[in-house]
Amino acid sequence: EAKEAFLASRSATIKNRTRQLKLEGNTRLYIRELAIVYFRLIRNTCEWYSELFADPTMISALIAWVRQEMAGYAVIFRRHVFHEMQKFQVIASCLNHTLAEVDILGHAGLDLKFMLDQEFFPDLTGCIRSFEGRCLALLTKAVTGDNLSVASKISTASNENAARLFGPQIPIVASVSKLDEVLTDFGNELRFIVRDSLYGQVVASVLSIIEGVLKQFLNVLRKGSNTYAQELALLVSTQAVVSWVVPRSAAHLDRIFGRTVTDIHNLEQRLEAFPSSLQDVFCQKHAVSISRSSFDFVTAEFLDEREVTDDMAPSSAMEQLLRGLGDIARELDQWPLPKRAVLGGIIDCIFVQMIDPRNWEMTGGEKRKFSHYGVHCLVLDIHFLLRVCGSLVSKSTNNMANRVCEKALRSYFASNPGAAAGGGAKEMMNKLWYDARVRTAMQRLGYSFPDFGRGFEHRSQQSFENAAQSESAPHSARDNTVSPVPSVTSR
């Protein structure tokens, strides 16, 4: 009973002395005085207890009392420091005042530092998460309000990988610059409270901030209605986040922790495929938009009953589609992006749409039909597209082009059994006929029409005639494509 009465009176003394403290708006001073009151009274209590109750079996009651008072101190500290959303510098100062008094207890033989770490660890990680949330809200606002024009150009002199990707400078949009600024501020704030026990939460928060911005970029590209220049700026900026922002953030955290923060350094490798994912979204999006505004295979009908003649030409819709690709190619010249990969990806996506089984069925489940003239129009358009796009056409794209032509011909023969049997069938044109129609079209369209067969520049008038003559030769490896016509007309 004497033991309990003594400890109760000491608790009452601590409570009364605490009530006498005045906050007066200065959190640091208040916590400093609070720590002095609590921990010096705890130290005195421990010394007096040892003198009054020397029996070792009674020490457990003192330890329980110390834990109880530590918890009481933590409640007050938490209310004035953590719950008030103080800056990390203020939090660090308050923690340092507390630790200084705890160290005095250690000199007296009572080490309470581990208790303090256990008490405040959830609060410190919570503060980091809250700061992360404020950073993400700020960056969400920055991305939403970004007009996606080049806000600045960053030198790559100190970053070999970035220099290889972008050249001497990286053009970035305002939200990427804001991301770099926020991560720098985040690191500067963290240095006040940084310790090894918080490593995992710091890494998780930095990852969340960076990945959160990249996901917002993806949503802007998917759902936004922007110009080619704005979307290409977004693609470049996404690569800049991975190749420039991430290494800078990793280096900053290395200095703060005094060692290599491996998880952030590895993030660059982990995210290296993300810019390609955005590029794929760009290709899919514009394959659909270009097709719908020009050669829309999904809604087109190929039932025209006119005769196939030698003055046939690729459709104006296909010409418009290729001019659309030319517009993108010209815009790509202004950006440090893989032009062949982007244009080739758009072409690939166009054929993915065309080969989709859903686009070969009509309302009611009936198979799509082609007339003799219609099937030649489709094959001629595809032959024209492959010729103009040349080396941009991948092997898989070429295979899809063959499949489209084969499906169209099968559909024609299925609905015209006489044509398949050869009795009274209309003539099916061969590759030489298609080549001649394409050459004529190219001559008619002139040098201003896009020609990707020999690069991304437009053909000159002088080179055009030589190029047209070369078309009479079999399709060569130079174009990296194989005309679909021979395989589909052999039937």
Side-chain angles (χ1 to χ4, degrees), residues 405-416:
C405 293
E406 288 171 0
K407 285 174 73 74
L409 282 163
R410 288 196 186 101
S411 176
Y412 167 69
F413 287 131
S415 57
N416 296 273

Side-chain angles (χ1 to χ4, degrees), residues 13-55:
T13 300
I14 292 174
K15 188 176 292 185
N16 289 333
R17 292 285 300 277
T18 300
R19 287 173 178 170
Q20 294 172 13
L21 299 176
K22 295 182 180 180
L23 180 57
E24 295 180 344
N26 191 329
T27 302
R28 297 186 197 190
L29 180 59
Y30 176 80
I31 294 298
R32 181 180 179 181
E33 293 176 347
L34 180 72
I36 290 173
V37 167
Y38 256 87
F39 294 109
R40 293 191 182 183
L41 287 175
I42 288 174
R43 183 188 65 179
N44 294 340
T45 301
C46 291
E47 291 174 351
W48 296 346
Y49 188 91
S50 299
E51 295 174 3
L52 295 172
F53 308 100
D55 186 353

Side-chain angles (χ1 to χ4, degrees), residues 384-397:
F384 182 51
L385 186 152
L386 295 180
R387 162 60 190 86
V388 173
C389 294
S391 59
L392 297 177
V393 180
S394 66
K395 185 176 180 180
S396 63
T397 301

Side-chain angles (χ1 to χ4, degrees), residues 7 19 32-33 36 54 69 135 141 216 229 253 278 327 352 382 386 417 426 436 443 446 457 466:
L7 293 177
R19 287 173 178 170
R32 181 180 179 181
E33 293 176 347
I36 290 173
E69 295 306 319
C135 289
K141 185 177 180 181
Q216 289 182 60
L253 290 175
L278 254 72
D327 292 340
V352 168
I382 291 176
L386 295 180
K426 294 182 179 180
Q443 291 170 342
E457 71 283 354
N466 294 332

Side-chain angles (χ1 to χ4, degrees), residues 85 107 171 177 261 273 282 285 312 347 390 413 481:
M85 301 295 288
H107 296 152
S177 181
V261 184
F282 177 87
K285 179 178 179 178
M312 275 185 68
I347 296 165
F413 287 131
T481 61

Side-chain angles (χ1 to χ4, degrees), residues 17-324:
R17 292 285 300 277
T18 300
R19 287 173 178 170
Q20 294 172 13
L21 299 176
K22 295 182 180 180
L23 180 57
E24 295 180 344
N26 191 329
T27 302
R28 297 186 197 190
L29 180 59
Y30 176 80
I31 294 298
R32 181 180 179 181
E33 293 176 347
L34 180 72
I36 290 173
V37 167
Y38 256 87
F39 294 109
R40 293 191 182 183
L41 287 175
I42 288 174
R43 183 188 65 179
N44 294 340
T45 301
C46 291
E47 291 174 351
W48 296 346
Y49 188 91
S50 299
E51 295 174 3
L52 295 172
F53 308 100
D55 186 353
T57 60
M58 303 180 74
I59 196 67
S60 60
L62 176 63
I63 294 174
W65 178 83
V66 170
R67 285 186 177 275
Q68 172 188 310
E69 295 306 319
M70 284 284 291
Y73 175 82
V75 168
I76 300 173
F77 185 99
R78 192 175 286 119
R79 182 168 63 246
H80 291 287
V81 178
F82 293 121
H83 291 179
E84 292 296 324
M85 301 295 288
Q86 300 286 351
K87 291 184 177 180
F88 285 168
Q89 188 172 5
V90 174
I91 293 173
S93 179
C94 293
L95 286 172
N96 289 337
H97 290 317
T98 302
L99 289 171
E101 294 301 321
V102 169
D103 284 342
I104 294 175
L105 282 175
H107 296 152
L110 191 62
D111 187 1
L112 300 181
K113 191 174 180 181
F114 75 97
M115 288 188 188
L116 200 66
D117 288 339
Q118 289 176 349
E119 279 289 343
F120 292 146
F121 177 77
D123 299 291
L124 288 170
T125 55
C127 280
I128 295 173
R129 286 194 297 270
S130 296
F131 195 85
E132 169 201 327
R134 294 198 296 274
C135 289
L136 282 170
L138 188 65
L139 289 166
T140 298
K141 185 177 180 181
V143 173
T144 303
D146 198 336
N147 62 8
L148 302 181
S149 61
V150 175
S152 59
K153 294 185 178 181
I154 308 299
S155 172
T156 59
S158 60
N159 188 323
E160 184 178 342
N161 184 44
R164 179 178 56 81
L165 290 168
F166 300 103
Q169 291 183 319
I170 310 173
I172 59 173
V173 296
S175 48
V176 172
S177 181
K178 189 65 176 178
L179 171 63
D180 181 61
E181 177 188 325
V182 165
L183 288 173
T184 300
D185 291 343
F186 188 49
N188 290 337
E189 284 286 316
L190 286 173
R191 66 189 169 88
F192 294 110
I193 63 167
V194 72
R195 57 198 66 191
D196 287 341
S197 60
L198 298 175
Y199 176 90
Q201 183 58 57
V202 169
V203 168
S205 292
V206 171
L207 294 179
S208 177
I209 291 170
I210 293 172
E211 291 178 346
V213 169
L214 290 176
K215 288 176 182 176
Q216 289 182 60
F217 282 176
L218 180 59
N219 288 333
V220 169
L221 186 60
R222 279 177 172 163
K223 301 176 182 178
S225 178
N226 301 298
T227 65
Y228 290 147
Q230 289 174 314
E231 294 189 350
L232 294 176
L234 192 61
L235 295 184
V236 172
S237 293
T238 301
Q239 185 65 63
V241 170
V242 176
S243 302
W244 178 68
V245 174
V246 170
R248 276 172 55 83
S249 179
H252 193 196
L253 290 175
D254 288 349
R255 292 190 292 272
I256 291 171
F257 279 98
R259 61 189 176 94
T260 301
V261 184
T262 309
D263 297 85
I264 303 299
H265 284 280
N266 291 342
L267 182 62
E268 183 177 1
Q269 184 176 1
R270 218 179 88 194
L271 292 175
E272 64 181 2
F274 197 87
S276 297
S277 298
L278 254 72
Q279 183 178 299
D280 291 341
V281 171
F282 177 87
C283 293
Q284 293 163 9
K285 179 178 179 178
H286 291 291
V288 172
S289 64
I290 290 175
S291 297
R292 285 179 178 172
S293 63
S294 55
F295 183 83
D296 190 359
F297 178 79
V298 176
T299 59
E301 291 188 354
F302 298 91
L303 298 174
D304 197 313
E305 294 295 344
R306 284 182 288 173
E307 293 295 324
V308 174
T309 61
D310 288 346
D311 60 356
M312 275 185 68
S315 66
S316 59
M318 180 55 71
E319 290 180 17
Q320 189 177 347
L321 184 148
L322 290 167
R323 290 186 192 279

Side-chain angles (χ1 to χ4, degrees), residues 411-487:
S411 176
Y412 167 69
F413 287 131
S415 57
N416 296 273
K426 294 182 179 180
E427 180 184 5
M428 303 301 292
M429 301 305 176
N430 60 23
K431 180 179 182 299
L432 293 177
W433 183 86
Y434 288 106
D435 286 342
R437 304 290 78 71
V438 169
R439 281 199 304 275
T440 301
M442 297 297 285
Q443 291 170 342
R444 172 177 57 82
L445 292 167
Y447 70 92
S448 64
F449 194 73
D451 179 15
F452 306 107
R454 287 173 305 286
F456 298 98
E457 71 283 354
H458 298 300
R459 66 170 65 200
S460 67
Q461 286 180 319
Q462 184 176 2
S463 65
F464 173 76
E465 293 182 2
N466 294 332
Q469 291 174 5
S470 70
E471 283 301 313
S472 60
H475 204 79
S476 67
R478 166 183 61 80
D479 296 311
N480 194 32
T481 61
V482 179
S483 169
V485 178
S487 62

